[in-house]
DNA sequence: CAAAGCTCCTGACCGC
DNA sequence: TGCGGTCAGGAGCTTT
């Protein structure tokens, strides 16, 4: 379930492997992802040099000049495998796309559930529909005031509002739970009922949670690569996510972590200290 | 327009 | 051991 920290970790891993290198071939094993890979995908990428990488929300943009960018989203189960020129690699069952770089580095996009996206665009990537109504980057100039103003006229519950990528980019089910816990805000609160102070707290908590997770991703990245060469999943100790029945981690709280379902998704929270 | 509901997909897990 | 059922969830689409 890649959210912002996992995507950022993947992007950092890709950085040294492919930036400033030319793509010499593109192998596409299947086109029928949930959003199909365009027919001209391979043609558009072959021969191009990746100038830089950008992350926006849960997307990674491979920038190859003003006229070509590739846009990657890992969906639910997407992974990137980086295979160095001297390494052997057995193609995985769900490796849908494999890029070969000029130095022999392979980049495999594996995605069993096929919820991911990989496509090219022929103009300014910021104009792509994925980014048109996307909210602010949480780690860049996201303020409590901005969140407060956005939530003020939202009738939905705060948990669901934070999952909406138009409100803020990059949060998913796990980090929304974690951020609400850290901010001590109950997930069933109506978004429009949050005070300015609570919005400020929620923004600060979100930033802290995301930064810590990125840090954890970065530190475990090397160990993970040693074992199977893949990138993107890390060890991060969740306070509430998937912790149903555990005692609240707050030393002054003796509550128990509960699980409820909101809009069809699990929410984990402490019913005692999140109010 | 917002909000809620449904859908896509496979692998992991559980109970029998 | 196998088998059926359930669950996981990002985002696009449809419905209300």
């Amino acid at each position: 379930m890649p959210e912002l920290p996992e995507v950022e970790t993947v992007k950092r891993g890709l950085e040294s492997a492919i930036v400033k290198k030319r793509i010499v071939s593109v192998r596409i094993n299947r086109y029928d992802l949930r959003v199909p890979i365009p027919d001209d995908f391979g043609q558009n990428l072959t021969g191009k040099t990746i100038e830089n990488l950008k992350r926006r929300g849960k997307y990674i943009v491979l920038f190859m000049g003003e006229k070509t960018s590739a846009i990657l989203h890992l969906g639910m189960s997407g992974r990137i495998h980086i295979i160095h020129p001297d390494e052997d690699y057995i193609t995985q069952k769900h490796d849908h796309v494999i890029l070969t770089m000029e130095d022999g580095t392979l980049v495999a996009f594996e995605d069993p559930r096929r919820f991911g996206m990989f496509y090219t665009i022929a103009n300014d990537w910021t104009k792509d529909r994925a980014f048109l109504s996307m909210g602010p980057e949480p780690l860049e100039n996201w303020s409590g005031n901005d969140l407060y103003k956005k939530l003020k006229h939202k009738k939905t519950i705060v948990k669901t509002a934070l999952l909406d990528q138009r409100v803020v980019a990059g949060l998913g089910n796990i980090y929304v739970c974690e951020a609400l816990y850290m901010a001590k805000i109950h997930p069933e609160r109506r978004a429009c009922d949050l005070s300015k102070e609570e919005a400020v707290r929620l923004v600060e908590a979100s930033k802290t949670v995301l930064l810590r997770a990125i840090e954890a991703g970065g530190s475990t990245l090397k160990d993970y690569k040693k074992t199977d060469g893949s990138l993107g999943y890390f060890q991060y100790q969740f306070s509430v996510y998937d912790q149903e029945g555990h005692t609240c981690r707050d030393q002054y709280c003796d509550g128990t972590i509960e699980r409820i379902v909101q809009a069809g998704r699990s929410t984990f929270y402490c019913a005692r200290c999140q109010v």
Side-chain angles (χ1 to χ4, degrees), chain A residues 111-182:
Chain A
D111 184 8
R113 267 164 259 193
R114 312 210 312 272
F115 284 10
M117 292 174 249
F118 209 178
Y119 56 94
T120 50
I121 59 162
N123 47 34
D124 180 3
W125 66 267
T126 62
K127 302 287 194 297
D128 188 69
R129 53 171 289 182
F131 308 112
L132 282 184
S133 56
M134 188 174 276
E137 276 298 307
L139 299 176
E140 294 170 22
N141 306 319
W142 187 38
S143 68
N145 195 43
D146 175 89
L147 181 64
Y148 177 68
K149 283 191 292 185
K150 280 224 181 70
L151 296 186
K152 204 159 58 177
H153 35 88
K154 278 210 164 268
K155 290 187 164 65
T156 188
I157 51 176
V158 63
K159 160 75 190 303
T160 306
L162 287 177
L163 286 175
D164 186 341
Q165 301 296 295
R166 294 170 300 182
V167 172
V168 60
L171 292 181
N173 204 41
I174 293 174
Y175 294 109
V176 167
C177 292
E178 295 294 314
L180 285 169
Y181 170 77
M182 188 175 283

Side-chain angles (χ1 to χ4, degrees), chain A residues 209-259:
Chain A
V209 163
L210 292 171
L211 284 171
R212 285 186 189 167
I214 290 171
E215 208 177 323
S219 63
T220 57
L221 189 56
K222 287 178 194 129
D223 295 341
Y224 206 89
K225 269 176 78 174
K226 273 178 202 161
T227 57
D228 71 355
S230 67
L231 297 169
Y233 295 93
F234 59 87
Q235 310 284 321
Y236 175 84
Q237 188 60 50
F238 301 129
S239 294
V240 286
Y241 186 80
D242 210 17
Q243 305 296 313
E244 186 179 13
H246 290 214
T247 304
C248 179
R249 290 179 131 204
D250 186 327
Q251 59 172 321
Y252 301 111
C253 177
D254 61 354
T256 301
I257 306 308
E258 296 185 11
R259 172 183 176 271

